[in-house]
Amino acid sequence: MTKQLPEDIMKKAVKGIGYIAHPLRLRILEFLDVNGASSVSAIAKGVDEEQVIVSQNLKKLRGANLVKTERRGLFIYYDIYEEYPASIFFCIRRLFGYMTDDFYFLVDGYKAILPRDYTTMVANRIKLFANYEKMRILEYLVLNGESRVSDIAAGINSEPLKVSQYLKRLRDDAFVVARRDGRCVYYSITAGVHKTAIECIRKRYDGLKNKADF
């Protein structure tokens, strides 16, 4: 059976995904993913936001090791720090392609700015599950399929009552669905950015030779 990610790795993933659960920060990272290293003024123009606000958010992204800087003469250029944010955009572009039947977004390596309302929706959806316990539950369901509360609780080393409470929230937000079979209730993960994010995080971790680089 495939093991869940180590606790420290999942906590890093939750922290990183929590920072991008913000419409403007997600659009900034998207701009850098599409256009490469850019100055603050170019980013501000690209995301249609005031330069001072973009600078503030870039500082937060840099503090979270999601962007890096390079000085070129008088100017400082920002770029995505590592593969993780880029892999998220690869996944949400494919999700957009499936949702809209837009073939171009299903082509490997294709990069383009997504519609602003879609990016905002993605950021707001990410915010709802950017929590350690919720992501542990979602990961368990990705790996094991339909499961009972007791199985999930044992699998993620948590209390059944706490797992039930989180499952209710996840169900209310349409991240999981429930099926009753006699006295037992079985939960399974739905398709969407939440499942895509879990799969991306695991793919990145599995692809690293040195897991400490996550």
Side-chain angles (χ1 to χ4, degrees), residues 1 15 72 84:
M1 184 176 69
K15 183 179 179 181
R72 299 180 186 177
Y84 174 56

Side-chain angles (χ1 to χ4, degrees), residues 1-212:
M1 184 176 69
T2 304
K3 293 183 179 180
Q4 290 196 271
L5 295 174
E7 181 179 343
D8 62 326
I9 296 298
M10 180 56 83
K11 285 183 176 179
K12 281 185 179 180
V14 171
K15 183 179 179 181
I17 206 165
Y19 270 99
I20 69 174
H22 183 285
L24 178 56
R25 289 178 207 151
L26 195 62
R27 288 185 5 249
I28 289 171
L29 290 171
E30 180 189 33
F31 180 88
L32 294 175
D33 183 52
V34 172
N35 296 283
S38 305
S39 64
V40 176
S41 59
I43 299 169
K45 183 178 180 180
V47 300
D48 191 26
E49 187 55 82
E50 293 181 17
Q51 188 166 320
V52 64
I53 296 176
V54 170
S55 293
Q56 291 168 352
N57 281 277
L58 281 167
K59 182 178 180 181
K60 292 178 181 179
L61 290 169
R62 185 182 181 190
N65 290 327
L66 291 171
V67 300
K68 58 185 177 181
T69 58
E70 177 188 357
R71 180 172 288 279
R72 299 180 186 177
L74 297 175
F75 300 98
I76 295 177
Y77 282 72
Y78 291 82
D79 201 358
I80 288 182
Y81 184 75
E82 55 182 24
E83 179 195 347
Y84 174 56
S87 67
I88 288 291
F89 286 112
F90 170 79
C91 293
I92 65 175
R93 286 188 191 110
R94 291 187 71 86
L95 181 62
F96 178 78
Y98 286 122
M99 289 172 61
T100 61
D101 292 325
D102 190 325
F103 170 78
Y104 290 106
F105 284 96
L106 301 177
V107 176
D108 288 348
Y110 179 75
K111 292 185 178 183
I113 299 295
L114 292 159
R116 186 166 179 166
D117 58 347
Y118 176 78
T119 307
T120 298
M121 180 275 291
V122 169
N124 290 332
R125 294 292 287 171
I126 291 173
K127 191 182 300 182
L128 293 173
F129 66 84
N131 166 280
Y132 178 78
E133 294 286 348
K134 288 181 179 180
M135 287 182 63
R136 271 300 191 210
I137 292 170
L138 293 173
E139 182 193 24
Y140 183 90
L141 293 175
V142 166
L143 295 176
N144 299 282
E146 194 176 58
S147 305
R148 299 174 301 176
V149 170
S150 58
D151 297 326
I152 299 169
I156 67 172
N157 194 28
S158 185
E159 299 174 4
L161 179 58
K162 183 184 289 187
V163 170
S164 292
Q165 292 170 341
Y166 278 113
L167 279 167
K168 182 182 184 306
R169 297 174 196 172
L170 290 167
R171 187 179 179 185
D172 288 344
D173 293 323
F175 295 135
V176 302
V177 292
R179 177 183 67 86
R180 180 173 291 279
D181 185 0
R183 298 178 63 182
C184 296
V185 177
Y186 292 85
Y187 293 87
S188 56
I189 191 169
T190 58
V193 66
H194 53 296
K195 184 178 181 182
T196 300
I198 296 294
E199 292 169 343
C200 280
I201 290 165
R202 291 196 58 86
K203 183 178 180 180
R204 176 172 182 264
Y205 178 77
D206 292 339
L208 288 173
K209 290 183 179 179
N210 182 8
K211 305 304 183 186

